[in-house]
Amino acid sequence: MSIFVTGVGVALPGADTAAALAAAVSPVGSVDPAAVLGKKGLRYKDRATQLGLVAGLRVLTDAGLWRDGVLNVDGNRVAVLVSSNLGNVDTACRVARTIADEGTRGLSPMDTPNASSNIIASEVAIRFGLHGPNLMVCNGPGSGLDALRWGAALLRSGRADQAVVIGVEPDNEIVRELVGGPVADGGAALVLERSEAAEARGATVHAEIGGHVRVAGPAAGYERLAAGEPAPLTGWFASGAAAEVLPAELPGHDLSAIWGELSGALGLVQAAAAIGGFAAGARGPVCLVAGSDDDDGSAALVLRPPAPAAPRPAAV
Amino acid sequence: MRLPITGIGAVASIGRDADEIFRNLCAGQGGLGPMRGFDHDLYTGTQLFEIDDRPEPGVDRTLRATGFLLDAVGQAARDAGLGDDLSDCPVLVGTGLRELRSAELWWRDGVSFGPERLHFGTALRERFGTPDTHTFSNACSASLYALALGADMLALGEADTVIVAGVDSITESMFGLADRVQPEPPGALRTLDVNRKGTILGDGAAAVVLRREDLPPSDGALWGMLRGVGMTCDAKHPTAPDQKYVAEAIRQAHAHAGTKPADVDLLMLHGTGTPLNDLVEASAYAEVFGPDAGVPVVTGIKPMTGHTSGSAGVLSLVTALQVMATGKVPPLIGLEQPIEEAAGLRLVRGQEAEHQVSLAQVHGFGFGGINAVAIVEAP
């Protein structure tokens, strides 16, 4: 069973499409959720949730699932998976400090939903009416690629017909201090779909999901996927220490060097950038890698370019 | 689907292993007590269901949830005969609050803590050697969601054995925000009682070992078989539950399991003791079960364990397996006058009941309207 990528959404400072992401060399400005979503209903939503809603709107629109404010497939069959490690860390830390300073009388009840880490995934479901399995993946550096793996698994097991997979990370004083530097303050999203479902509704195919692994170390993961992939890998995406152990002779892309700490958004931003590359003419499968030898695990996933349109029978 | 469950493990306020917890549940011994790690002067409510492992009263430390998880996973792995090397065994962890309590202490007090320990993979890799771990932060249905994904992994042939766990330690942010809107904090957690005043949080962790059904029997125990798990999302309100999709999760669980409501002998309630949860849960159950609503015996663990958030679902599942093994059903303590919607149910009240159970249904519902229901069968 093939799993296709039928939607891509990008919400990064200065990049709001896969093409812009693939060509970007540095962040410009910041993502303005109110400009994309309208101000209504955003007031008490935390930054990560707002970024997730922007990526969600863009990916559902790109996939042709959301038109003029209406979902045009069965919402009961659409799964939502969101990857974010830092999402609500600011709320938890800020609330704990307020309690120490003022007691619970100093708290705003409007913070209550944001105290639960799955707020991004549930708000995406609410905004777009998505009743399928709803999963918040908070799994460290590999989290974004892990979310793609679980999205594909929910489709393979027949629990959903489409999976909306989003990775976002917010920037604020608290998470900057936690990770030791600026955070991307954005993310990206994909819609995954079984090939026959995509074909049945005439969806545009941006890419195909190949193999995935989660093992100890990026080199081992890359080698296993390279060995299992029918065509030779033509490039890779990896950041920091993980990039240092991958084949130097192939083109490599370190997106954290451009966007800052991507954390749980990394895998989705890598996938969106790779798809931007496919659209610009890149040929051959690429390997996305997240998590280094210093981390608890390294996730890797192959993304294949869409198959070229079937050639017409030659005239005889 | 009939996935063998070959190991169990748990820790909670009422016990440091699954046996001790079950003994206390059957004896009606709850774990509610004066809170040990938070400053009483800052809160209206001062009672929680905590695991007593802090260095001294009023002094908190980081990584308590991680410790609970390692204990529960270690127990389950030993019970299943897997030992301490789980390098080939994926571990799926459902949690509401991850290590956010440690992040709070880091930010407030300046204690050492890094982002690599917000999720549980780092500690699981150090202790058990597995790189294939997954932390799902799915509020109060997290561990049953993880159970569904673990079962799907086995069904898809992606692993031979999977450990599914749940864990939470109480965060000050979650407790504090609840405290803010409870001028009269509940003196007890009273599932399904007309006078229930709300939920009370607890610490806890639980784990089960699942195997593929087409493998030869393992060296471990055989506690039961997982038949199916249903998962839905209300997509309606960030905190209030919706009967329609709670009911749909129950229907989906039976569809996956190939069972019907009349087959169920035991219902393990989510039963948080909040006015809305218990009403919606009882109504959704009645909606799906109809004339069969009086067939199963009905109980829940939260009046004695507190609401252990992301770990609650698998902790209830472990309890259901122990009920099957012993024929003893723990009571819903503190239930004096059931709500009207629960009037026709076979509620276990006052003291433990004797009941042979061959099929159990386990509920877990969470913030964000995420619902999961598991069906488990006796060996």
Side-chain angles (χ1 to χ4, degrees):
Chain A
M1 181 189 307
S2 300
I3 304 295
F4 287 165
V5 179
T6 57
V8 57
V10 176
L12 282 162
D16 54 11
T17 63
L21 167 58
V25 290
S26 66
V28 178
S30 66
V31 178
D32 180 3
V36 180
L37 303 163
K39 282 182 187 164
K40 190 165 172 282
L42 291 189
R43 188 170 171 200
Y44 296 110
K45 292 186 174 56
D46 66 16
R47 176 74 179 166
T49 300
Q50 296 190 11
L51 293 169
L53 292 173
V54 171
L57 176 64
R58 287 188 175 147
V59 78
L60 285 165
T61 304
D62 182 67
L65 299 176
W66 185 260
R67 277 199 200 105
D68 304 324
V70 178
L71 187 74
N72 52 36
V73 289
D74 179 3
N76 289 324
R77 298 288 301 164
V78 183
V80 175
L81 301 96
V82 177
S83 168
S84 182
N85 293 307
L86 308 171
N88 72 334
V89 169
D90 59 327
T91 296
C93 291
R94 186 169 42 75
V95 166
R97 173 68 64 79
T98 302
I99 293 169
D101 293 344
E102 306 170 39
T104 59
R105 288 172 305 279
L107 299 178
S108 162
M110 302 316 290
D111 271 328
T112 302
N114 299 334
S116 190
S117 298
N118 68 322
I119 184 65
I120 314 171
S122 59
E123 289 291 352
V124 168
I126 291 168
R127 190 158 191 113
F128 302 108
L130 310 177
H131 296 279
N134 188 275
L135 196 66
M136 189 73 210
V137 185
C138 303
N139 204 38
S143 196
L145 294 179
D146 295 329
L148 284 171
R149 159 187 173 171
W150 291 111
L154 289 170
L155 297 172
R156 289 196 178 101
S157 60
R159 288 189 185 267
D161 293 332
Q162 285 89 22
V164 181
V165 190
I166 298 172
V168 284
E169 294 291 5
D171 189 38
N172 55 62
E173 173 200 10
I174 294 172
V175 299
R176 270 181 188 225
E177 188 162 331
L178 185 64
V179 303
V183 180
D185 206 43
L190 303 185
V191 167
L192 307 184
E193 201 160 0
R194 284 186 301 276
S195 51
E196 65 272 18
E199 281 154 11
R201 67 178 190 94
T204 301
V205 177
H206 296 295
E208 181 184 351
I209 302 287
H212 70 76
V213 291
R214 187 180 166 95
V215 293
Y222 182 95
E223 280 159 26
R224 264 177 58 182
L225 291 180
E229 184 65 23
L233 296 174
T234 58
W236 47 261
F237 289 72
S239 290
E244 291 163 19
V245 298
L246 297 181
E249 67 277 14
L250 293 179
H253 306 269
D254 181 349
L255 297 178
S256 305
I258 296 175
W259 300 103
E261 178 62 59
L262 282 159
S263 190
L266 176 62
L268 276 306
V269 173
Q270 289 175 335
I275 287 167
F278 293 154
R283 290 285 165 262
V286 296
C287 191
L288 316 179
V289 181
S292 73
D293 286 307
D294 302 328
D295 297 310
D296 54 305
S298 184
L301 182 139
V302 169
L303 207 59
R304 301 171 186 144
R312 291 181 204 179
V316 283
Chain B
M1 179 173 83
R2 278 189 171 79
L3 299 173
I5 300 171
T6 59
I8 63 171
V11 284
S13 55
I14 53 170
R16 299 313 299 261
D17 61 39
D19 283 350
E20 189 184 359
I21 292 170
F22 190 67
R23 275 199 308 277
N24 280 319
L25 285 172
C26 288
Q29 284 292 335
L32 186 62
M35 63 186 190
R36 299 177 172 94
F38 306 159
D39 184 344
H40 285 222
D41 293 340
L42 299 173
Y43 294 88
T44 311
T46 54
Q47 293 199 101
L48 292 169
F49 292 86
E50 291 171 290
I51 294 172
D52 185 8
D53 69 337
R54 290 186 172 92
E56 54 185 294
V59 178
D60 206 356
R61 62 178 176 81
T62 57
L63 302 180
R64 290 176 65 246
T66 297
F68 306 153
L69 175 69
L70 296 178
D71 281 357
V73 170
Q75 287 173 34
R78 274 194 301 281
D79 192 29
L82 298 175
D84 262 3
D85 178 5
L86 303 176
S87 48
D88 292 327
C89 180
V91 181
L92 278 51
V93 182
T95 178
L97 304 167
R98 307 183 272 157
E99 270 294 355
L100 286 174
R101 175 56 183 158
S102 296
E104 291 175 353
L105 292 168
W106 160 79
W107 181 247
R108 192 191 70 187
D109 300 342
V111 300
S112 170
F113 179 71
E116 74 283 0
R117 292 188 189 275
L118 267 175
H119 67 296
F120 299 105
T122 302
L124 289 166
R125 173 83 187 274
E126 287 165 355
R127 169 76 177 272
F128 300 110
T130 175
D132 196 13
T133 65
H134 297 272
T135 299
F136 301 115
S137 196
N138 258 39
C140 305
S141 57
S143 53
L144 291 187
Y145 252 83
L147 186 72
L149 298 173
D152 287 354
M153 269 187 99
L154 297 172
L156 292 169
E158 291 186 2
D160 292 342
T161 305
V162 172
I163 296 183
V164 176
V167 64
D168 265 307
S169 71
I170 303 162
T171 62
E172 256 189 295
S173 51
M174 187 58 88
F175 174 55
L177 285 161
D179 187 74
R180 167 74 176 74
V181 294
Q182 281 183 323
E184 285 180 62
L189 193 162
R190 299 174 66 182
T191 300
L192 291 181
D193 194 276
V194 290
N195 291 315
R196 67 198 183 283
K197 300 288 188 227
T199 201
I200 304 174
L201 296 172
D203 296 325
V208 293
V209 179
L210 289 179
R211 273 166 65 84
R212 262 169 56 183
E213 58 182 321
D214 56 342
L215 296 178
S218 75
D219 301 336
L222 181 60
W223 286 94
M225 269 85 72
L226 180 65
R227 294 292 306 271
V229 189
M231 295 184 278
T232 62
C233 178
D234 297 348
K236 190 168 184 182
H237 190 276
T239 54
D242 179 18
Q243 181 178 328
K244 180 180 175 191
Y245 282 93
V246 171
E248 186 55 31
I250 298 172
R251 290 192 190 95
Q252 208 187 87
H254 283 285
H256 272 264
T259 51
K260 53 188 191 300
D263 302 332
V264 176
D265 306 301
L266 170 71
L267 171 62
M268 295 296 299
L269 293 163
H270 185 56
T272 59
T274 66
L276 201 51
N277 173 82
D278 292 6
L279 176 64
V280 167
E281 183 173 16
S283 303
Y285 167 76
E287 177 190 325
V288 177
F289 274 57
D292 299 320
V295 175
V297 299
V298 177
T299 193
I301 60 174
K302 289 187 182 67
M304 287 182 273
T305 63
H307 189 356
T308 64
S309 189
S311 72
V314 168
L315 191 54
S316 294
L317 174 70
V318 164
T319 306
L321 295 167
Q322 292 170 305
V323 170
M324 289 171 173
T326 60
K328 295 176 192 297
V329 188
L332 280 165
I333 63 166
L335 175 53
E336 287 164 12
Q337 191 183 346
I339 59 173
E340 200 183 311
E341 290 74 11
L345 307 189
R346 291 175 69 188
L347 300 167
V348 182
R349 297 166 62 180
Q351 58 185 19
E352 67 174 20
E354 301 276 334
H355 193 63
Q356 292 307 312
V357 172
S358 56
L359 197 73
Q361 174 174 322
V362 183
H363 290 178
F365 313 125
F367 264 20
I370 47 177
N371 312 304
V373 173
I375 306 284
V376 64
E377 183 180 81

